[in-house]
Amino acid sequence: MKQIDSISYPIYFNSIAEKLDKFIEDGKYSRFFILTDEHTALHCLPLITDKVNPDNYDLLEVSAGEESKTIDFCIGIWKMLIDFDADRNSLLINLGGGVVTDLGGFAASTYKRGIDFIHIPTTLLSQVDASIGGKTGIDIDNLKNIIGTFTQPKAVFIEHAFLETLPARQIKSGTAEMLKHGLIADADYWHALKNSNLEKPEAELVYQSAVIKNKVVTEDPSERGQRKILNFGHTIGHALESYSLDHDKNPLTHGEAIAAGMICEAWLSHQKCDLPAADLDEIVSTLLAIYGKYQVKEASFVELRNIMKKDKKNQGGKINCSLLTKIGDCRIDNICTDDELCDSLRYYAQLEYARV
Amino acid sequence: MKQIDSISYPIYFNSIAEKLDKFIEDGKYSRFFILTDEHTALHCLPLITDKVNPDNYDLLEVSAGEESKTIDFCIGIWKMLIDFDADRNSLLINLGGGVVTDLGGFAASTYKRGIDFIHIPTTLLSQVDASIGGKTGIDIDNLKNIIGTFTQPKAVFIEHAFLETLPARQIKSGTAEMLKHGLIADADYWHALKNSNLEKPEAELVYQSAVIKNKVVTEDPSERGQRKILNFGHTIGHALESYSLDHDKNPLTHGEAIAAGMICEAWLSHQKCDLPAADLDEIVSTLLAIYGKYQVKEASFVELRNIMKKDKKNQGGKINCSLLTKIGDCRIDNICTDDELCDSLRYYAQLEYARV
């Protein structure tokens, strides 16, 4: 069983059976609470509750989906903790995808000015991304993570077995962040990953992705500088995700939106940071083959740009992107003009894509 | 002009004219925002806006009073910051009493995962208490500060001139915390203070009170231990304050509630921590003479106790008080039974009080 030592806490791999009970016992918590959504309550909770004393915990549940990542659901969690008389020495276990870990982390970091929490991420996306790095957050008016804190969990437990319960589209959503980790920091990993079976990512590749994410956040916990490389593909990707959530009946997943954002921002990288044309082609063909193409229309550009203007990385009203210099290397703080951003969307819109 | 160095920031006394503008300039903020209520907008804001460049800031305003210290007003502040496109390099200046500094501090500490803020406390209570120590907070269902963070401001500016704009009842509300500082940590200060003109507290006495508060919080920023001495009078006092807010047309001020709470907890101190009878008598007669007596009825005891059960200091469902061993010394973590708490309320209820 593997373990990564993060900023101030361990990330355990495939260790719930052996380590969770002892972790709770050693923490001398007065009690603990498990936050789930209806899916993780059904598919993942038994693995936890089999291992711990049933007298010591209570269950909290929110609805599955990004719609739960709001202040209203956060207030719901606070009120449940109040009703259960949760004291400062309580522990919150966030069992779910990124929505549950971000929302639960924010609720815990502010309840009675902060109680301990741990993450047990159950989606690939949250295993390789959301659960690592101490970001908590909720959305307001579809602005993702506009409110939150930097608060580290006390531990993260990553279980490969949970991935077997996931639909294929959710697995693909997670592999987008894994591919991003290769693009921004490790060309070998990118090549290994894109040539692997992405429908069933191997445990070793999941582990390596967590290692990359952890290395970046450990060196810059509060995102003053280099941590921003993780935002490659996200300036445009987040805008597409918000836009799609507002306009589409079947909205893009996070990974699908970020894949489209990475194509646009790879094009910007080619224009502004000398990303070689061969690298751009490789990125575009790889991502299109996996994620297909989203219909982006010229009429949506104004709204997309307005969403980008709210991006947390911006300073002084300027839109700030993290761009690639080559596959495996990323440079932060590239100011992009409105024209450049629109041109990157136009580039994406004109790509030819033959469904395979 | 005096200055205290707190945990990671300075507390300036009577230095706005000389230091505020330079502080903002040195911080290289993209812009700043001033949070006021309608009183401080009228009486205190001109002192600030006279000193700074009017092109660089926007004003945010909440209603005066504890009713504003809610998640709804916090959401209002977040949305105003979003509408103003406030970036991560913005500064929030909280100009007001404890409601504005607690609420503004919480909003700033969570907006985009934290922007810088400073406090300019305008009430005596916030000058000697709320603005020092890095506690931010909002109330839910009348549970005071149940949600919040420990986040230090970047500076605090305490101006004695602001006290001249305050009604007498608000001044008295602040002196209760000053008297508490003497009771828990400095007998000489207690005696000097109670023999001074409490209707117009001298700048030197305000400064000394801030020094005591700062010393306690600097030694225990996140309230793991000794900082809890600041809660003397507050377990019962907060319950009376919440109760009064729900039931009385003209509710108790914070200081009035804490004064009654200090009498009850001084009685508990006499029973449980050997506070000498002479000290108890001195505390009771001093506080009654200043604050008068609140009508506490036996019928309200159950509700009061239920409020106390929600106190953040409690652990494992037990009500935990900070009690005096003598005037000038306080001991934390005294578990009090329901009977003891009710008896202390009964003691208070039977006190004879001749209005002077």
Side-chain angles (χ1 to χ4, degrees), chain A residues 22 104 138 210 212 291:
Chain A
K22 186 166 175 348
I138 55 172
I212 294 174
Y291 296 97

Side-chain angles (χ1 to χ4, degrees), chain A residues 207-261:
Chain A
Y207 169 77
Q208 284 178 28
S209 193
V211 168
I212 294 174
K213 168 89 194 239
N214 182 64
K215 183 165 185 296
V216 175
V217 300
T218 304
E219 286 168 4
D220 179 17
S222 54
E223 203 167 23
R224 303 277 168 200
Q226 201 57 19
R227 180 171 179 158
K228 289 188 232 172
I229 64 172
L230 294 167
N231 290 308
F232 171 65
H234 282 61
T235 302
I236 295 175
H238 269 164
L240 290 168
E241 189 178 4
S242 293
Y243 180 89
S244 173
L245 201 63
D246 264 359
H247 293 275
D248 298 335
K249 222 166 124 181
N250 178 21
L252 291 173
T253 64
H254 178 72
E256 288 161 356
I258 270 30

Side-chain angles (χ1 to χ4, degrees), chain B residues 180 184 229-240 257-266 321-323:
Chain B
K180 183 199 74 182
I184 60 173
I229 65 171
L230 294 167
N231 290 308
F232 170 66
H234 282 60
T235 303
I236 295 175
H238 268 164
L240 290 168
I258 269 33
M262 287 197 284
I263 291 175
C264 297
E265 294 183 27
C321 291
S322 301
L323 300 177

